Amino acid sequence: DAEITQSPRHKITETGRQVTLACHQTWNHNNMFWYRQDLGHGLRLIHYSYGVQDTNKGEVSDGYSVSRSNTEDLPLTLESAASSQTSVYFCASSYREAGELFFGEGSRLTVL
Amino acid sequence: AQKVTQAQTEISVVEKEDVTLDCVYETRDTTYYLFWYKQPPSGELVFLIRRNSFDEQNEISGRYSWNFQKSTSSFNFTITASQVVDSAVYFCALSLSSNTGKLIFGQGTTLQVKP
Protein backbone atom coordinates (compact mmCIF):
# COMPACT_ATOMS: atom_id res chain seq x y z
CA ASP A 1 0.00 0.00 0.00
CA ALA A 2 1.12 3.51 -0.74
CA GLU A 3 2.03 5.52 2.30
CA ILE A 4 3.91 8.45 3.75
CA THR A 5 6.53 7.82 6.41
CA GLN A 6 8.51 10.09 8.68
CA SER A 7 11.73 9.44 10.55
CA PRO A 8 12.77 9.66 13.23
CA ARG A 9 9.51 9.53 15.14
CA HIS A 10 11.15 10.94 18.25
CA LYS A 11 14.34 12.93 18.60
CA ILE A 12 16.03 14.85 21.36
CA THR A 13 18.78 17.23 20.40
CA GLU A 14 20.72 20.15 21.80
CA THR A 15 20.51 23.81 20.95
CA GLY A 16 22.68 24.69 17.98
CA ARG A 17 22.82 21.26 16.40
CA GLN A 18 21.68 20.56 12.87
CA VAL A 19 18.71 18.22 12.62
CA THR A 20 17.10 16.62 9.59
CA LEU A 21 13.65 15.08 9.61
CA ALA A 22 12.94 12.72 6.75
CA CYS A 23 9.69 12.38 4.83
CA HIS A 24 9.10 9.74 2.18
CA GLN A 25 5.88 9.11 0.24
CA THR A 26 5.11 6.35 -2.21
CA TRP A 27 1.99 7.85 -3.78
CA ASN A 28 3.95 9.73 -6.42
CA HIS A 29 2.30 12.96 -5.30
CA ASN A 30 3.77 16.17 -6.65
CA ASN A 31 2.73 18.30 -3.68
CA MET A 32 4.46 17.87 -0.34
CA PHE A 33 4.23 19.94 2.84
CA TRP A 34 5.80 20.31 6.26
CA TYR A 35 3.71 21.53 9.19
CA ARG A 36 4.47 22.00 12.84
CA GLN A 37 1.88 21.49 15.55
CA ASP A 38 1.95 23.48 18.75
CA LEU A 39 -0.67 23.81 21.46
CA GLY A 40 -2.95 26.73 20.78
CA HIS A 41 -1.70 27.19 17.22
CA GLY A 42 -3.05 24.21 15.38
CA LEU A 43 -0.86 23.24 12.44
CA ARG A 44 1.28 25.87 10.78
CA LEU A 45 2.91 25.53 7.40
CA ILE A 46 6.71 25.58 7.36
CA HIS A 47 7.69 24.78 3.76
CA TYR A 48 6.10 23.17 0.76
CA SER A 49 6.99 21.85 -2.67
CA TYR A 50 4.99 21.39 -5.86
CA GLY A 51 7.55 19.20 -7.57
CA VAL A 52 11.18 18.29 -8.02
CA GLN A 53 13.51 21.25 -7.49
CA ASP A 54 10.61 23.41 -6.31
CA THR A 55 10.48 24.69 -2.72
CA ASN A 56 8.51 27.50 -1.12
CA LYS A 57 8.37 29.17 2.26
CA GLY A 58 5.32 28.86 4.43
CA GLU A 59 4.05 30.82 7.38
CA VAL A 60 6.82 29.84 9.83
CA SER A 61 9.86 29.10 7.67
CA ASP A 62 12.59 30.93 9.64
CA GLY A 63 15.25 28.49 10.81
CA TYR A 64 14.11 25.69 8.48
CA SER A 65 15.02 24.57 4.99
CA VAL A 66 13.89 21.84 2.59
CA SER A 67 15.13 20.35 -0.63
CA ARG A 68 13.32 18.30 -3.27
CA SER A 69 15.64 16.20 -5.38
CA ASN A 70 13.05 13.55 -6.26
CA THR A 71 9.28 13.10 -6.12
CA GLU A 72 9.26 10.82 -3.08
CA ASP A 73 11.27 12.78 -0.50
CA LEU A 74 11.10 16.17 1.20
CA PRO A 75 13.58 16.31 4.09
CA LEU A 76 13.24 19.16 6.58
CA THR A 77 16.45 20.59 8.03
CA LEU A 78 16.86 22.73 11.10
CA GLU A 79 20.21 24.38 10.50
CA SER A 80 20.80 25.35 14.14
CA ALA A 81 18.11 23.98 16.43
CA ALA A 82 16.52 26.33 18.94
CA SER A 83 14.30 25.55 21.93
CA SER A 84 11.45 27.34 20.15
CA GLN A 85 11.56 24.60 17.54
CA THR A 86 10.50 21.97 20.04
CA SER A 87 7.32 20.72 18.41
CA VAL A 88 5.59 17.91 16.60
CA TYR A 89 6.33 17.97 12.88
CA PHE A 90 4.01 16.55 10.26
CA CYS A 91 4.80 15.85 6.66
CA ALA A 92 1.95 15.64 4.17
CA SER A 93 1.36 15.13 0.48
CA SER A 94 -1.51 15.64 -1.94
CA TYR A 95 -2.16 14.65 -5.51
CA ARG A 96 -4.11 17.60 -6.76
CA GLU A 97 -4.87 21.22 -6.20
CA ALA A 98 -6.95 21.69 -3.06
CA GLY A 99 -7.10 17.97 -2.55
CA GLU A 100 -7.01 16.46 0.89
CA LEU A 101 -3.63 16.08 2.51
CA PHE A 102 -2.30 12.68 3.48
CA PHE A 103 -0.27 13.02 6.64
CA GLY A 104 2.63 11.10 8.05
CA GLU A 105 2.54 9.94 11.65
CA GLY A 106 4.51 12.91 12.92
CA SER A 107 7.97 13.46 14.38
CA ARG A 108 8.29 14.75 17.93
CA LEU A 109 11.38 16.92 18.28
CA THR A 110 12.70 18.18 21.59
CA VAL A 111 15.46 20.78 21.61
CA LEU A 112 17.22 21.10 24.98
CA ALA B 1 -6.04 37.42 4.65
CA GLN B 2 -7.30 33.92 5.16
CA LYS B 3 -8.09 32.61 8.59
CA VAL B 4 -9.87 29.76 10.32
CA THR B 5 -11.24 30.14 13.83
CA GLN B 6 -12.34 27.34 16.10
CA ALA B 7 -13.52 29.24 19.14
CA GLN B 8 -14.14 26.15 21.26
CA THR B 9 -10.83 25.06 22.73
CA GLU B 10 -12.22 22.12 24.67
CA ILE B 11 -15.60 20.43 24.86
CA SER B 12 -16.60 17.70 27.26
CA VAL B 13 -19.76 15.64 26.82
CA VAL B 14 -21.19 12.43 28.14
CA GLU B 15 -21.52 9.49 25.82
CA LYS B 16 -24.63 9.52 23.61
CA GLU B 17 -24.93 13.29 23.72
CA ASP B 18 -24.90 15.21 20.45
CA VAL B 19 -22.09 17.74 20.05
CA THR B 20 -21.36 20.46 17.52
CA LEU B 21 -17.90 21.78 16.77
CA ASP B 22 -17.86 25.27 15.34
CA CYS B 23 -15.66 26.52 12.52
CA VAL B 24 -15.65 30.02 11.10
CA TYR B 25 -13.45 30.96 8.17
CA GLU B 26 -12.35 34.16 6.46
CA THR B 27 -11.44 34.55 2.81
CA ARG B 28 -12.18 36.91 -0.03
CA ASP B 29 -11.80 34.21 -2.63
CA THR B 30 -14.95 32.87 -4.23
CA THR B 31 -13.46 29.44 -4.81
CA TYR B 32 -12.15 27.63 -1.78
CA TYR B 33 -12.26 24.29 -0.01
CA LEU B 34 -13.03 23.40 3.56
CA PHE B 35 -11.83 20.37 5.45
CA TRP B 36 -12.19 18.61 8.75
CA TYR B 37 -9.49 16.40 10.21
CA LYS B 38 -9.53 14.24 13.32
CA GLN B 39 -6.48 13.68 15.51
CA PRO B 40 -7.08 10.84 17.99
CA PRO B 41 -4.85 10.38 21.04
CA SER B 42 -2.50 8.23 18.96
CA GLY B 43 -1.52 11.42 17.11
CA GLU B 44 -2.16 10.74 13.45
CA LEU B 45 -4.29 13.10 11.38
CA VAL B 46 -7.30 11.52 9.76
CA PHE B 47 -9.15 13.17 6.90
CA LEU B 48 -12.92 13.41 7.46
CA ILE B 49 -14.39 15.61 4.75
CA ARG B 50 -13.63 18.04 1.94
CA ARG B 51 -16.22 20.56 0.72
CA ASN B 52 -15.90 23.13 -2.04
CA SER B 53 -17.37 26.60 -1.86
CA PHE B 54 -19.94 25.94 -4.56
CA ASP B 55 -21.57 23.05 -2.78
CA GLU B 56 -23.60 24.18 0.21
CA GLN B 57 -25.44 20.93 0.64
CA ASN B 58 -25.14 19.49 4.09
CA GLU B 59 -23.32 16.20 4.33
CA ILE B 60 -24.10 13.24 6.52
CA SER B 61 -21.87 10.24 7.07
CA GLY B 62 -23.15 7.90 9.72
CA ARG B 63 -23.11 9.77 13.03
CA TYR B 64 -21.21 12.68 11.49
CA SER B 65 -22.80 15.61 9.74
CA TRP B 66 -21.53 18.90 8.42
CA ASN B 67 -23.38 22.16 7.98
CA PHE B 68 -21.86 24.59 5.49
CA GLN B 69 -23.30 28.12 5.46
CA LYS B 70 -21.61 30.67 3.22
CA SER B 71 -23.79 33.46 4.59
CA THR B 72 -22.14 33.11 7.99
CA SER B 73 -18.80 31.71 6.73
CA SER B 74 -19.23 28.66 8.88
CA PHE B 75 -18.60 24.97 8.41
CA ASN B 76 -19.79 23.26 11.57
CA PHE B 77 -19.39 19.61 12.43
CA THR B 78 -21.93 17.66 14.47
CA ILE B 79 -21.46 14.26 16.03
CA THR B 80 -24.72 12.55 16.91
CA ALA B 81 -24.85 10.10 19.80
CA SER B 82 -21.21 10.63 20.66
CA GLN B 83 -19.02 7.71 21.67
CA VAL B 84 -15.83 7.48 23.70
CA VAL B 85 -13.92 6.71 20.48
CA ASP B 86 -14.86 10.16 19.22
CA SER B 87 -12.53 11.69 21.80
CA ALA B 88 -9.92 13.52 19.77
CA VAL B 89 -8.73 16.89 18.59
CA TYR B 90 -10.67 18.08 15.58
CA PHE B 91 -9.25 20.56 13.10
CA CYS B 92 -11.08 22.64 10.56
CA ALA B 93 -9.01 23.85 7.60
CA LEU B 94 -9.30 26.10 4.56
CA SER B 95 -7.63 25.80 1.18
CA LEU B 96 -7.80 28.32 -1.64
CA SER B 97 -7.84 27.12 -5.20
CA SER B 98 -4.97 29.45 -5.90
CA ASN B 99 -2.83 27.91 -3.18
CA THR B 100 -2.49 24.48 -4.74
CA GLY B 101 -3.12 22.40 -1.73
CA LYS B 102 -1.88 24.56 1.13
CA LEU B 103 -4.18 24.19 4.10
CA ILE B 104 -4.77 26.86 6.70
CA PHE B 105 -5.75 25.20 9.94
CA GLY B 106 -7.79 26.37 12.86
CA GLN B 107 -6.43 25.99 16.37
CA GLY B 108 -8.33 22.77 16.93
CA THR B 109 -11.07 21.70 19.34
CA THR B 110 -10.38 19.00 21.88
CA LEU B 111 -13.42 16.80 22.35
CA GLN B 112 -13.63 14.57 25.38
CA VAL B 113 -16.45 12.05 25.48
CA LYS B 114 -16.94 10.55 28.91
CA PRO B 115 -18.56 7.15 29.41
Side-chain angles (χ1 to χ4, degrees):
Chain A
D1 288 342
E3 60 181 3
I4 181 166
T5 55
Q6 294 181 228
S7 63
R9 297 289 312 282
H10 301 272
K11 184 168 182 67
I12 300 174
T13 191
E14 295 177 344
T15 302
R17 290 191 179 261
Q18 184 181 81
V19 176
T20 296
L21 305 179
C23 176
H24 179 80
Q25 53 99 0
T26 58
W27 281 300
N28 204 34
H29 289 168
N30 282 327
N31 304 337
M32 294 185 72
F33 307 84
W34 273 104
Y35 286 85
R36 62 176 287 176
Q37 182 179 10
D38 304 287
L39 201 61
H41 291 280
L43 284 87
R44 292 180 291 174
L45 184 63
I46 305 171
H47 280 286
Y48 58 101
S49 169
Y50 293 147
V52 177
Q53 302 302 330
D54 176 76
T55 61
N56 305 279
K57 294 181 178 180
E59 178 188 357
V60 291
S61 60
D62 287 350
Y64 303 94
S65 63
V66 293
S67 61
R68 188 88 180 270
S69 58
N70 58 53
T71 301
E72 296 79 18
D73 299 290
L74 187 70
L76 177 71
T77 297
L78 289 68
E79 300 294 341
S80 178
S83 57
S84 60
Q85 294 176 308
T86 293
S87 186
V88 180
Y89 292 86
F90 285 96
C91 180
S93 68
S94 69
Y95 67 99
R96 58 175 174 163
E97 175 183 319
E100 68 264 27
L101 296 185
F102 296 84
F103 283 89
E105 294 177 310
S107 295
R108 182 175 295 275
L109 176 67
T110 301
V111 183
L112 301 176
Chain B
Q2 297 79 39
K3 186 179 178 182
V4 176
T5 301
Q6 296 179 254
Q8 303 152 308
T9 304
E10 293 184 18
I11 301 176
S12 181
V13 299
V14 176
E15 207 171 18
K16 298 185 182 177
E17 285 186 18
D18 298 347
V19 58
T20 296
L21 282 61
D22 297 334
C23 173
V24 174
Y25 61 92
E26 296 176 27
T27 179
R28 291 184 179 178
D29 282 38
T30 56
T31 302
Y32 51 89
Y33 302 83
L34 295 164
F35 300 78
W36 277 94
Y37 280 84
K38 174 182 180 180
Q39 186 178 41
S42 51
E44 75 272 22
L45 284 151
V46 179
F47 166 78
L48 295 178
I49 189 171
R50 171 182 180 265
R51 174 69 55 177
N52 75 58
S53 54
F54 298 108
D55 183 1
E56 286 194 75
Q57 278 193 331
N58 290 334
E59 176 109 3
I60 298 175
S61 177
R63 296 184 297 105
Y64 294 173
S65 62
W66 291 268
N67 180 262
F68 176 28
Q69 292 197 336
K70 289 177 76 171
S71 60
T72 56
S73 297
S74 64
F75 186 44
N76 296 337
F77 172 33
T78 297
I79 302 174
T80 302
S82 60
Q83 300 176 2
V84 172
V85 293
D86 296 325
S87 297
V89 181
Y90 291 87
F91 291 99
C92 180
L94 166 70
S95 177
L96 308 180
S97 64
S98 58
N99 283 4
T100 316
K102 290 191 299 180
L103 262 60
I104 301 160
F105 284 84
Q107 303 93 319
T109 297
T110 300
L111 173 66
Q112 183 181 33
V113 181
K114 298 178 181 178

